[in-house]
């Protein structure tokens, strides 16, 4: 089944398309879930020690609001950094092994096939493609910092 057939399957049979991609999605996500959970938890625990959290509690703000509005927002900065770098790397061909194992047509599979046949122009294009997405992801992460952390905004 080629990439165009998979694309058509999304519109003709969304449930079948979802089932066909469920294992690759799980394969890519399970490796990151533990790391992200651990980093987020550590950052929330660290943020709960800050003065602005004690001030928010002293003002009588509910624990849920303190967690969601103050602690989680500040704890997302390192999380967003990790996510941006990982997303840029995955979109740029970092899912190479997953695409090869599951027989999915994508940039990773194209790069793998090019490496097998030493097709240098395609390899160079794949590296440029991956570099573009890493740079783009970093730019989006930097812009997201201004939304999450008021200290990074210019006055």
């Amino acid at each position: 089944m080629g990439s165009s057939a998979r694309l058509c399957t999304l519109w003709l049979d969304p449930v079948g398309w979802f089932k066909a991609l469920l294992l690759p999605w799980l394969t890519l996500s399970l490796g990151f879930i533990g790391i992200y959970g651990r980093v987020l938890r550590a950052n929330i625990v660290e943020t709960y020690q800050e003065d602005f959290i004690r001030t928010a509690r002293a003002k009588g703000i509910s624990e849920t609001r303190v967690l969601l509005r103050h602690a989680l927002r500040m704890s997302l900065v390192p999380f967003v950094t990790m996510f941006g770098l990982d997303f840029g790397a995955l979109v740029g061909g970092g899912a190479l092994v997953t695409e090869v194992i599951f027989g999915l047509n994508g940039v990773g599979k194209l790069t793998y096939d090019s490496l097998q046949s030493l097709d240098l122009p395609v390899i160079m294009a794949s590296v440029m493609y991956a570099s573009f997405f890493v740079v783009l992801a970093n730019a989006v992460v930097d812009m997201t910092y201004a939304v999450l952390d008021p200290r990074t905004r210019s006055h």
Side-chain angles (χ1 to χ4, degrees), residues 32 36 44 46 51 69 84 90 98 102 147:
F32 294 104
Y36 286 119
I44 287 176
E46 183 180 331
D51 290 336
R69 184 88 175 162
L90 282 174
T98 305
F102 289 101
V147 173

Side-chain angles (χ1 to χ4, degrees), residues 25-37:
W25 288 338
L26 287 174
T27 301
L28 288 172
S29 65
L30 287 178
F32 294 104
I33 287 175
I35 296 168
Y36 286 119

